[in-house]
Amino acid sequence: MGRGTQESRTSCSRSWFSPLLWASWSISAPIVPAPLFAALNFLPHQRKWGEPSGAATAIGAMDKEYVGFAALPNQLHRKSVKKGFDFTLMVAGESGLGKSTLINSLFLTNLYEDRQIPEASARLTQTLTIERRGVEIEEGGIKVKLTVVDTPGFGDSVDCSDCWLPVVRFIEEQFEQYLRDESGLNRKNIQDSRVHCCLYFISPFGRGLRPLDVAFLRAVHEKVNIIPVIGKADALMPKETQALKQKIREQLKEEEINIYQFPECDSDEDEDFKRQDAEMKESIPFAVVGSCEVVRDGGPRPVRGRHYSWGTVEVENPHHCDFLNLRRMLVQTHLQDLKEVTHDLLYEGYRARCLQSLARPGARDRASRSKLSRQSATEIPLPMLPLADTEKLIREKDEELRRMQEMLEKMQAQMQLSQAQGEQSDAL
Amino acid sequence: MSELVPEPRPKPAVPMKPIGINPNLLGYIGIDTIIEQMRKKTMKTGFDFNIMVVGQSGLGKSTLVNTLFKSQVSRKASSWNREEKIPKTVEIKAIGHVIEEGGVKMKLTVIDTPGFGDQINNENCWEPIEKYINEQYEKFLKEEVNIARKKRIPDTRVHCCLYFISPTGHSLRPLDLEFMKHLSKVVNIIPVIAKADTMTLEEKSEFKQRVRKELEVNGIEFYPQKEFDEDLEDKTENDKIRQESMPFAVVGSDKEYQVNGKRVLGRKTPWGIIEVENLNHCEFALLRDFVIRTHLQDLKEVTHNIHYETYRAKRLNDNGGLPPGEGLLGTVLPPVPATPCPTAE
């Protein structure tokens, strides 16, 4: 049971080690230049990692003088590769900002083939729906089960009040599901369907965040990692892009919205890497352009981009847009970190809140009573999550108890006050 | 002939003959010189034109108006340094300027509507706009009904409303539909696709087709309305505009760049320069010709003969055949016929 726990913990990304190597984009191999390959192997914790021959000799050399647990990363890597990874990405934002195109560009898939875009009159009374699309991507022997959660209908209708509530509920449901699984008896194969990252698309046509953007971000920033993105960035001239980014950063600070903070790089990294890292952090929110079409514009080789009468926007050109930065930060270097932050910070926060609300005066007794009747061997007195309706009953009874307590306190206060007044009048 | 003089619609009944060449003046009256007289009069008095711009903030409304009239007629709220709050309700701001070109004076009023469509809940955000338009009709009606009328009633009625559609590439938004449904009966609406430099040629034509279809399906008549085409020539010309060009996909700019040795208005990006007046890049030139060079007078006429008359008939009917009460100094007026005007439906 102990070993089983450890294994499942590994897949839930408790490990410090990020064995994620996107070796090369198999579909666009002719487009990716060779030097990029080396950069793709480039991860903060394991830059010197990678040659099997090296590891073998390392182990051989270690035989005589060392214990040998330096080979642990290797083992973890192999285990995780076998298990595969899952990652859930949510995209949110008004319709028409290029969300689907960007997802297709990022992961070189065609997730949205069968999508029907409804007409405006149909959208008048449409409420927000949550759609999940999954795809399995394999590269360099590593399998990733990617789930993209879409929110069509967001910001569409004339009255968008509370249109973010279904999204918040969805995120919390995933946490709840995970909490249940974690507290359950059989924890070998927990499916992690929690949302690891939310790409929030901001319109390039506005002047910063709109009231709806602020309301949505406020509602979800403590529950999911937010990466703000400016969609359709080819609508903006370079100066406008800078000004818009500045404005958005100021607004985020003003409204105290916590977006995902990319971790600081270690002090032992070289200057070049640090500079790159700083540059990338400066360009948040990322101004992106997505495209899956290949354009031959007479240059040295065909590129992915959008062709206009006045020129061609190249998706992978860092001077044109931040697509490369986004891909690097999201997929190549911080995929694991996003999962870790979701688990260690956001999920734990949810869990603490949830258990605290159950651990109010009335509930604590019940929890201790139920502990005696359970057979689990864990030391932490986790109360069994009761069924939904008994939970509601318990909550109602707790509410009543609390109300009666409050009334009692009020009456006591009143009595004291009248006593004090009585004394005063006596004194007079 | 100056560009801004509206081309008179009715063609002369008698073909023009040069005066003086034929000493025998039988058969030539000279009524075709009325055109010249009208032109002189217009140049002296000038004319007024009121244009309203509606759309979400950031779609380039003020820039486009400035580009259309080649002057800073609309103060841009897009300066990033200034602290700018989105107004909680739709405000109506009317700013007037006098522009002169070729001896003709135009009193241009640009009516801006900040706050439209920017809130979370945009229910009925078109109501302040509808109210404003009706107020202008009411003002004009009061002046008209006065005993001592001014020679030239100041015309503050909205002649043209440019509605800015966001270039999502999918279809119209529900708010767009609602606005146009409510206001197409009250004012001339010209839908315009803003910031069209985000769409490639195919995306542009697909989007336009979809928008046209949606407008048709929902029974929204934008200017030029089909029912007001006067003759066959108008009809063919307007049909071509309605079915092929509208809604115009425009790009606005107030900055000039050097392209091929010429200074042009445009937007400079790392991948190219978008020229505002280049028909291959965007349809700004078409919009400008349409609104200013060919249909300016028609816009005013439709506003006066149709929208205003509809309003007037409704008001008079509501009042039981009597015009609105103020300004009549208590005297008894001759009764106005209670039957509605034939154009009002």
Side-chain angles (χ1 to χ4, degrees):
Chain A
M1 184 62 174
R3 235 173 77 94
T5 315
Q6 191 197 16
E7 257 191 46
S8 64
R9 284 273 158 99
T10 311
S11 80
C12 297
S13 71
R14 272 283 171 92
S15 66
W16 56 272
F17 169 74
S18 331
L20 205 46
L21 299 169
W22 290 88
S24 72
W25 296 95
S26 39
I27 300 174
S28 60
I31 299 179
V32 172
L36 193 55
F37 185 103
L40 286 168
N41 276 337
F42 173 70
L43 290 164
H45 295 291
Q46 28 144 41
R47 291 181 55 198
K48 289 117 188 144
W49 172 253
E51 284 101 17
S53 56
T57 50
I59 292 176
M62 283 193 270
D63 265 352
K64 318 239 167 48
E65 293 164 20
Y66 300 98
V67 177
F69 56 76
L72 180 62
N74 204 359
Q75 300 175 24
L76 278 173
H77 174 218
R78 254 188 264 132
K79 273 222 157 61
S80 331
V81 164
K82 265 200 264 178
K83 226 180 170 43
F85 295 91
D86 44 18
F87 190 77
T88 306
L89 175 69
M90 172 181 273
V91 277
E94 272 183 5
S95 61
L97 289 181
K99 305 189 287 290
S100 319
T101 313
L102 185 73
I103 296 292
N104 285 346
S105 313
L106 267 178
F107 300 107
L108 290 176
T109 68
N110 202 353
L111 273 178
Y112 292 90
E113 242 169 338
D114 56 349
R115 184 171 67 147
Q116 299 276 13
I117 299 176
E119 290 183 344
S121 34
R123 286 189 276 157
L124 267 172
T125 46
Q126 189 190 44
T127 49
L128 188 108
T129 53
I130 310 267
E131 282 178 10
R132 264 199 274 213
R133 290 186 164 87
V135 71
E136 281 226 4
I137 306 177
E138 176 167 348
E139 271 204 358
I142 302 175
K143 286 203 223 16
V144 172
K145 185 162 152 295
L146 171 75
T147 311
V148 177
V149 179
D150 205 355
T151 54
F154 180 82
D156 260 355
S157 37
V158 179
D159 181 3
C160 300
S161 319
D162 296 337
C163 72
W164 51 86
L165 289 182
V167 177
V168 177
R169 214 177 312 136
F170 176 80
I171 297 175
E172 294 200 324
E173 269 169 24
Q174 308 312 307
F175 280 154
E176 195 183 309
Q177 180 66 40
Y178 194 82
L179 183 58
R180 258 184 241 266
D181 287 347
E182 208 184 36
S183 323
L185 295 174
N186 184 355
R187 301 204 290 186
K188 242 195 233 176
N189 291 315
I190 302 184
Q191 292 289 353
D192 188 3
S193 62
R194 297 171 294 185
V195 180
H196 299 118
C197 174
C198 174
L199 283 181
Y200 188 72
F201 279 70
I202 302 166
S203 170
F205 308 125
R207 295 206 197 95
L209 294 176
R210 295 219 174 108
L212 179 61
D213 300 334
V214 173
F216 177 86
L217 289 173
R218 269 235 169 99
V220 295
H221 70 142
E222 300 288 347
K223 305 193 163 69
V224 74
N225 293 316
I226 298 178
I227 297 184
V229 157
I230 302 174
K232 292 200 173 173
D234 52 349
L236 301 168
M237 299 196 288
K239 243 195 259 173
E240 294 173 346
T241 317
Q242 284 311 319
L244 181 61
K245 284 190 186 180
Q246 181 72 14
K247 187 90 204 289
I248 293 177
R249 281 197 288 258
E250 280 171 16
Q251 277 178 302
L252 287 174
K253 203 153 64 161
E254 207 182 289
E255 304 281 346
E256 295 176 352
I257 292 172
N258 301 326
I259 58 174
Y260 172 68
Q261 299 296 333
F262 291 94
E264 298 298 328
C265 43
D266 299 330
S267 49
D268 60 347
E269 303 292 353
D270 66 18
E271 281 307 313
D272 205 35
F273 180 69
K274 280 201 196 147
R275 193 182 41 85
Q276 248 183 5
D277 196 62
E279 256 177 39
M280 283 197 232
K281 291 211 181 109
E282 272 297 304
S283 59
I284 294 172
F286 298 110
V288 292
V289 176
S291 170
C292 287
E293 285 157 11
V294 175
V295 178
R296 287 156 206 283
D297 66 340
R301 33 163 234 283
V303 286
R304 272 197 298 153
R306 291 171 61 75
H307 180 70
Y308 294 109
S309 341
W310 49 87
T312 306
V313 183
E314 294 167 33
V315 166
E316 292 176 354
N317 183 336
H319 296 294
H320 288 191
C321 72
D322 292 331
F323 177 80
L324 277 185
N325 280 354
L326 174 66
R327 185 171 73 185
R328 200 174 311 157
M329 296 218 99
L330 176 63
V331 172
Q332 294 168 5
T333 45
H334 294 281
L335 207 62
Q336 190 66 2
D337 189 61
L338 283 165
K339 291 182 71 167
E340 281 175 23
V341 172
T342 310
H343 185 79
D344 296 336
L345 211 64
L346 305 167
Y347 169 67
E348 289 298 322
Y350 170 82
R351 186 170 169 279
R353 277 195 301 270
C354 190
L355 296 183
Q356 235 173 30
S357 70
L358 285 179
R360 262 183 278 124
R364 216 181 287 130
D365 298 333
R366 257 170 269 125
S368 48
R369 255 180 276 132
S370 66
K371 185 175 90 169
L372 297 169
S373 57
R374 272 191 313 126
Q375 285 142 357
S376 166
T378 52
E379 315 91 51
I380 315 162
L382 270 182
M384 280 286 282
L385 286 180
L387 297 166
D389 34 18
T390 41
E391 200 177 43
K392 218 173 36 163
L393 264 174
I394 294 171
R395 282 221 192 103
E396 279 169 17
K397 292 281 173 13
D398 283 344
E399 275 294 319
E400 268 183 51
L401 265 169
R402 212 165 37 84
R403 254 180 270 137
M404 294 203 305
Q405 273 183 343
E406 278 178 10
M407 272 204 316
L408 258 172
E409 283 172 10
K410 245 190 257 172
M411 290 201 305
Q412 277 182 348
Q414 263 185 348
M415 275 195 344
Q416 283 182 353
L417 194 62
S418 54
Q419 257 187 2
Q421 280 180 348
E423 282 174 11
Q424 270 187 349
S425 58
D426 280 347
L428 287 173
Chain B
M1 226 161 111
S2 156
E3 288 170 346
L4 274 182
V5 169
E7 298 185 51
R9 284 317 208 70
K11 301 280 184 288
V14 177
M16 261 182 88
K17 286 203 190 100
I19 306 173
I21 287 187
N22 187 355
N24 181 6
L25 290 179
L26 266 177
Y28 177 68
I29 309 166
I31 48 177
D32 52 358
T33 54
I34 186 120
I35 299 172
E36 190 59 33
Q37 298 173 32
M38 271 170 60
R39 197 172 87 86
K40 283 217 192 95
K41 262 266 157 66
T42 317
M43 277 178 69
K44 264 200 267 173
T45 53
F47 59 100
D48 27 10
F49 188 64
N50 307 320
I51 184 168
M52 175 184 264
V53 280
V54 184
Q56 274 190 319
S57 70
L59 283 181
K61 305 188 288 290
S62 308
T63 313
L64 186 72
V65 171
N66 289 346
T67 320
L68 263 179
F69 297 102
K70 286 215 165 65
S71 23
Q72 287 284 333
V73 289
S74 189
R75 211 182 52 140
K76 282 196 288 186
S78 67
S79 151
W80 300 98
N81 312 323
R82 247 181 301 145
E83 214 8 82
E84 174 226 311
K85 291 272 173 214
I86 294 180
K88 289 278 184 262
T89 53
V90 180
E91 295 173 353
I92 311 271
K93 293 202 179 130
I95 306 173
H97 294 264
V98 175
I99 311 180
E100 183 172 337
E101 192 184 55
V104 182
K105 280 205 203 59
M106 172 161 84
K107 181 166 174 301
L108 172 73
T109 309
V110 177
I111 302 147
D112 200 358
T113 54
F116 178 83
D118 287 331
Q119 310 307 322
I120 296 180
N121 183 354
N122 290 312
E123 287 276 324
N124 299 329
C125 66
W126 51 84
E127 278 179 358
I129 299 175
E130 206 176 339
K131 195 158 91 98
Y132 177 83
I133 295 175
N134 285 336
E135 272 169 15
Q136 307 315 306
Y137 288 152
E138 182 68 30
K139 244 194 254 181
F140 197 87
L141 183 61
K142 283 217 182 72
E143 284 294 335
E144 228 186 19
V145 141
N146 242 334
I147 300 175
R149 283 203 288 215
K150 297 204 191 112
K151 193 168 83 156
R152 229 185 115 225
I153 305 178
D155 191 359
T156 54
R157 299 170 296 186
V158 179
H159 299 126
C160 167
C161 173
L162 288 182
Y163 186 76
F164 284 69
I165 299 172
S166 181
T168 57
H170 293 316
S171 61
L172 284 177
R173 295 165 68 229
L175 177 63
D176 303 338
L177 267 187
E178 286 292 297
F179 176 87
M180 287 198 266
K181 254 196 229 166
H182 281 90
L183 290 208
S184 55
K185 301 274 185 292
V186 205
V187 73
N188 295 322
I189 295 189
I190 298 183
V192 155
I193 300 175
K195 299 212 166 169
D197 52 344
T198 44
M199 295 193 285
T200 60
L201 281 175
E202 304 91 43
E203 290 169 356
K204 230 188 276 192
S205 62
E206 266 179 34
F207 184 54
K208 281 216 254 194
Q209 252 182 336
R210 239 175 279 149
V211 168
R212 275 197 292 261
K213 193 156 137 283
E214 269 189 314
L215 290 176
E216 196 185 312
V217 159
N218 284 283
I220 297 172
E221 285 272 343
F222 51 85
Y223 178 84
Q225 295 93 336
K226 266 194 226 145
E227 40 186 347
F228 307 141
D229 284 336
E230 284 164 1
D231 51 28
L232 190 59
E233 196 185 319
D234 276 350
K235 191 165 173 331
T236 43
E237 187 192 334
N238 286 344
D239 264 347
K240 189 160 170 296
I241 297 177
R242 270 193 294 263
Q243 278 152 21
E244 288 173 15
S245 327
M246 286 187 85
F248 299 109
V250 295
V251 173
S253 167
D254 48 5
K255 295 199 177 62
E256 286 189 340
Y257 296 99
Q258 194 90 358
V259 170
N260 293 336
K262 287 191 299 167
R263 305 250 340 141
V264 288
L265 281 175
R267 289 169 64 74
K268 183 158 182 211
T269 58
W271 48 89
I273 298 185
I274 303 156
E275 297 166 44
V276 163
E277 308 228 7
N278 185 337
L279 276 174
N280 291 330
H281 292 187
C282 76
E283 292 166 5
F284 170 79
L286 289 181
L287 173 70
R288 183 203 41 213
D289 292 348
F290 180 68
V291 172
I292 300 179
R293 295 183 191 177
T294 50
H295 285 70
L296 193 75
Q297 185 61 18
D298 190 54
L299 279 164
K300 293 179 66 168
E301 277 176 19
V302 171
T303 310
H304 180 71
N305 297 336
I306 297 172
H307 295 301
Y308 171 66
E309 289 299 319
T310 313
Y311 177 82
R312 182 171 170 274
K314 203 158 66 84
R315 280 291 271 129
L316 296 183
N317 263 341
D318 288 344
N319 264 15
L322 291 173
E326 282 124 325
L328 301 180
L329 303 169
T331 53
V332 177
L333 279 182
V336 179
T339 54
C341 297
T343 49
E345 224 68 66

